[in-house]
Each structure stands twice: as structure tokens, then as C-alpha cells.
């Protein structure tokens, strides 16, 4: 079964917590802090697997999780880092964020491996919080949470040439004639229900990959039939062979067919609609009205598109077509057809230190990356930890902002998941 689109949930490992510990040695009256740091959580990587060509395995396993980092221990023992998780996918797989559609990776090269979700950093042990005035800190830092996302895995075939056209126009027959591929062929619509690939070998040792894409129908760009699933597979091709039935056997109008298919391409992707095409006028051996071909030939001339008359069934004109395809491919660069967005966000110092303080009703709300991280280091049951907490609130200007908003004794301040009572 060919599967080319799945959704999964992946979570990187959490970082381990830092330890609160103090030296306990014989003849040492007051040992200092010796809490070790937590280990880093495991990250999630995606890697190309040359032995697979479908995403079928992901229909049965939807959730993936890397190992958490271990907590730190006394005697400055660091926690072990969690093991990374590597997920194997077929070559040609696109990894996207499900909620935004942003492309995180394009796994289109052999041996390619990409970091998708980073594991959380380990928390610092209480050793890091010792100062000349705070020699026995009874608090440490929690490990950071690992990234978690719903991901879309989308397989897009890697082919040089895509066979494009309505169902039952002879694409599969053409593929079987020019390659050793053995697609299902019959005289009814939608014989091809999944893409087929074949390799065309030229006389001079040149070769190229050609893909037979299941027939596209009107409305395909908005999902009519299986349109979108099919259209994604021609996004990577450098050249499109637009196969059109000119026999008139099913009452088809070749010019109308050309326009309908190209309109679907344009609706799906402006860039795809501008990809180079060659019109392949097929089934000339059973042509009932030569005017149908002449109208299509006139259209091709108006649009400056090459056109070739062939019969895939008898082999007429096929050799000349393939020779021309090989020549054209030499002029078309193998460009990166997928735009990959950077997945790592780079924070400026201002962004990291940015804190928002606002009042909603009788509640004062403090938010921001730096203050939420601060809360993970605080032991609210320990006086020294609270002293450190208030000192950092002053340094960040949060206390001053709260006073400007009119905070009084007994009012409540929400920071992260905590609600704290204010005392002047």
C-alpha cells in the first residue's frame, strides 16, 4: 500500500532537574552545596532510509518520544543525557508543522539527517546559586521541557519528468513503453491509483526518472477526487509531459482538457503552473477527427509550447519524444524546489529579557520567558530561595512595574502557574 501523507505527534525529552545537595564528610562541619546538573533531554531527528518508499509504517505508530534526561545528584554528579530518537523516512519526505504548515525539513538526499525537535536543557544544581552571602542555597533549577509538535509527513516523489493529464489518456501505457515499469493498464478511468516511477535509459548512457501521476480531474486543486495527493508529486519534477487524448474516442476536446489541467496547476501552485511543459498528443493511431489535433497544435504554437504526436500503444513518435525530453532536461537545472524554513528561533537579548506586566480585574499578571524560567528555579518553601526570587524581580524591573499599576498588600500576582500574594 502506497502512503504519502500522515500526521504524527513527536516530543523531545525533558531535561533532568538540578539537585539540591550538600557535602556530608567526616570532619567537615559545614559542607558546601554539591548538587549536580540535570542531563539534557533527547532530541528528535529525521533521517533518510534508502530501503523504504512509503510512509505506511506511520499509520500504525503515531506518537514518538525521545528519552528524558536524568536528574542531577549529590557530590556534583551530573544526570545522564536522554538518548536521541532518530525517525527513518523515505527519500523525498517533507516534514511540516501541522498547525502552521511551515516546512521544517526536506529530506531529499541520501544519508540526510535533520534535527527537528530539540531536547530540553538540564537544570542547574544548587552549586550554581552559591554566593558569598548565600553559601547554602536550598534550591535548584528544573530541567527545560522538550519541544513537542504535531507534524505532517508528506512524501513527494523525486522524478525528473512528470506525466500529467486526465485519467485514461495513456500515461501508464507510455511509461510502460519507455521504461521497465509495469503499471496497471486497462481501458477505464483511474486504473492508476498511486504514482509509478520508471527509469528511462538513453543511448548515450543518459538516464532520467519519469513519474506516472494518477489522472487529475477538474477541481483537483481543492481536493476533488484525490487531486491534491496527486498534484504534490509533480512539484519536484523539472519537466512536465502533458499527455492529451486526441482520438476523440470519448468525446474529449483536447484544447479544453489542456486548459482545465493547467488551470488546476495554477490554482494549486503558481510556480508549478510555470514549469516547462511538452504537449504529448496521444492516440493518434485511432484519431477520428484530425481537426481536434490541429486545434491543439494551434494552441501550442500560440503558447510557444512544443508538441509531439505519438501513439503509446503502437510506439509511433515515442522514440523522437524521449530523445527530445533527454535534450531538454540537460538545459533545466536541478534546483531546490522546496523552501525550507529555519526551525531554530534565535532570540535577541531584548527578547529573552522581555517581561509583560498587566492588570486584569483584581489580578496582576506577569509573563515572559525570563520570569517563567526564574519560577522553575525557586523553592517557595525556602527563605533563601525567596530572597533570591525577590532580588531577581527587582533586577528585572517587575516590582517597579507592579507598583506603577497600583498593586497593594494582599493583591495577587500570577506568574506562570503560580498565584502569589503581594507584600510591601
Amino acid at each position: 500500500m502506497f502512503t504519502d501523507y500522515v500526521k504524527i505527534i513527536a516530543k523531545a525529552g525533558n531535561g533532568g532537574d538540578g539537585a539540591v545537595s550538600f557535602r556530608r564528610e567526616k570532619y567537615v562541619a559545614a559542607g558546601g552545596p554539591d548538587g549536580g546538573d540535570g542531563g539534557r533531554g533527547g532530541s528528535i531527528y529525521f533521517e533518510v532510509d534508502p530501503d523504504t518508499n512509503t510512509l505506511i509504517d506511520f499509520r500504525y505508530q503515531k506518537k514518538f518520544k525521545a528519552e528524558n534526561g536524568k536528574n542531577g545528584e549529590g557530590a556534583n554528579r551530573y544526570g545522564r543525557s536522554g538518548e536521541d530518537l532518530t525517525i527513518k523516512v523515505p527519500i523525498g519526505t517533507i516534514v511540516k508543522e501541522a498547525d502552521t504548515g511551515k516546512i521544517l525539513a526536506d529530506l531529499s538526499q541520501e544519508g540526510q539527517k535533520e534535527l527537528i525537535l530539540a531536547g530540553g536543557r538540564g537544570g542547574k544544581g544548587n552549586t550554581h546559586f552559591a554566593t558569598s552571602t548565600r553559601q547554602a542555597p536550598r534550591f535548584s533549577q528544573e530541567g527545560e521541557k522538550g519541544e513537542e509538535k504535531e507534524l505532517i509527513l508528506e512524501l513527494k516523489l523525486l522524478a525528473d519528468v512528470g506525466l500529467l493529464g486526465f485519467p485514461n489518456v495513456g500515461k501508464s501505457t507510455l511509461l510502460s513503453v519507455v521504461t521497465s515499469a509495469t503499471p496497471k493498464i486497462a481501458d477505464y478511468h483511474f486504473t492508476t491509483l498511486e504514482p509509478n516511477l520508471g527509469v528511462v535509459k538513453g543511448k548515450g548512457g543518459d538516464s532520467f526518472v519519469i513519474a506516472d501521476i494518477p489522472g487529475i480531474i477538474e477541481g483537483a486543486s481543492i481536493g476533488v477526487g484525490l487531486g491534491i495527493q496527486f498534484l504534490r508529486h509533480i512539484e519536484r519534477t523539472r519537466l512536465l509531459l502533458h499527455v492529451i487524448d486526441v482520438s476523440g474516442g470519448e468525446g474529449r476536446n483536447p484544447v479544453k482538457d489542456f486548459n482545465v489541467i493547467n488551470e488546476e496547476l495554477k490554482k494549486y501552485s503558481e510556480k508549478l503552473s510555470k514549469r516547462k511543459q511538452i504537449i504529448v498528443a496521444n492516440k493518434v493511431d485511432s484519431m477520428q477527427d484530425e481537426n481536434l489535433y490541429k486545434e491543439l497544435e494551434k494552441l501550442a504554437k500560440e503558447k510557444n509550447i512544443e508538441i509531439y504526436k505519438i501513439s503509446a500503444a503502437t510506439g509511433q513518435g515515442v522514440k523522437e519524444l524521449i530523445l527530445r525530453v533527454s535534450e531538454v532536461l540537460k538545459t533545466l537545472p536541478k534546483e531546490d524546489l522546496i523552501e525550507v524554513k529555519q526551525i531554530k528561533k534565535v532570540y535577541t537579548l531584548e527578547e529573552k529579557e522581555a517581561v509583560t506586566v498587566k492588570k486584569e480585574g483584581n489580578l496582576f499578571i506577569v509573563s515572559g520567558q525570563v520570569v517563567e524560567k526564574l519560577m522553575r528555579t525557586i523553592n517557595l518553601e525556602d527563605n533563601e530561595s525567596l530572597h533570591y526570587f525577590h532580588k531577581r524581580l527587582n533586577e528585572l524591573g517587575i516590582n517597579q512595574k507592579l507598583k506603577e499599576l497600583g498593586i497593594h498588600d494582599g493583591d495577587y500576582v500570577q506568574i506562570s502557574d503560580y498565584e502569589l500574594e503581594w507584600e510591601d
Side-chain angles (χ1 to χ4, degrees), residues 180-241:
S180 58
T182 55
K184 188 186 296 183
I185 298 171
D187 191 21
Y188 53 86
H189 290 181
F190 296 111
T191 307
T192 304
L193 292 177
E194 58 187 50
N196 293 301
L197 288 178
V199 179
V200 179
K201 296 180 181 178
K203 285 185 178 180
D206 296 334
S207 65
F208 57 87
V209 179
I210 189 167
D212 168 24
I213 307 302
I216 294 171
I217 62 176
E218 192 168 3
S221 60
I222 56 173
V224 174
L226 297 174
I228 289 178
Q229 290 93 316
F230 298 159
L231 283 165
R232 77 164 60 98
H233 289 297
I234 57 176
E235 282 191 279
R236 292 182 183 272
T237 57
R238 293 186 286 150
L239 174 65
L240 298 176
L241 295 186

Side-chain angles (χ1 to χ4, degrees), residues 256-269:
K256 181 181 177 183
D257 285 359
F258 175 88
N259 290 329
V260 167
I261 293 294
N262 277 280
E263 185 62 26
E264 292 304 319
L265 289 184
K266 188 174 183 180
K267 289 177 182 176
Y268 179 74
S269 165

Side-chain angles (χ1 to χ4, degrees), residues 10-14 40-46 65-69 81-87 113-121 146-147 344:
K11 186 183 185 310
N14 299 331
R40 179 189 59 82
S43 297
I44 291 184
Y45 293 83
F46 278 73
K65 187 178 184 304
E67 186 180 24
N68 292 334
S81 293
E83 286 191 17
D84 295 333
L85 176 63
T86 300
I87 300 173
K113 185 176 182 179
E114 300 289 346
L115 171 64
I116 300 299
L117 299 175
R121 288 184 299 181
E147 294 182 288
K344 291 184 178 178

Side-chain angles (χ1 to χ4, degrees), residues 6 12 21 25 84 106 110 139 154 166 199 202 204 249 261 263 321 324 390 399 403 409 417-418:
V6 293
S21 177
E25 297 179 29
D84 295 333
D106 174 14
E110 288 188 16
F139 60 96
E154 197 172 282
F166 272 90
V199 179
I261 293 294
E263 185 62 26
L321 170 65
R324 179 57 182 157
H390 286 295
N399 286 345
K403 290 176 181 177
D409 271 354
D417 295 328
Y418 297 89

Side-chain angles (χ1 to χ4, degrees), residues 93 121 421:
T93 299
R121 288 184 299 181
E421 187 176 352

Side-chain angles (χ1 to χ4, degrees), residues 314-376:
T314 66
Q316 177 186 341
V318 172
K319 183 178 178 181
E320 292 79 7
L321 170 65
I322 295 304
L323 184 62
R324 179 57 182 157
V325 168
S326 183
E327 291 173 351
V328 170
L329 284 175
K330 292 176 183 177
T331 69
L332 300 176
K334 290 188 176 182
E335 58 176 325
D336 291 330
L337 301 176
I338 302 296
E339 183 182 355
V340 179
K341 305 291 176 64
Q342 290 293 324
I343 65 172
K344 291 184 178 178
K345 178 168 173 56
V346 179
Y347 292 96
T348 64
L349 183 61
E350 291 77 15
E351 285 178 303
K352 273 192 163 184
E353 296 294 324
V355 175
T356 300
V357 181
K358 60 183 179 180
K359 183 179 181 182
E360 292 186 359
N362 295 323
L363 184 65
F364 294 82
I365 300 173
V366 180
S367 59
Q369 183 185 8
V370 65
V371 73
E372 289 168 7
K373 187 174 180 179
L374 172 64
M375 288 302 300
R376 295 198 293 268

Side-chain angles (χ1 to χ4, degrees), residues 237-249:
T237 57
R238 293 186 286 150
L239 174 65
L240 298 176
L241 295 186
H242 194 154
V243 184
I244 296 176
D245 180 358
V246 294
S247 70

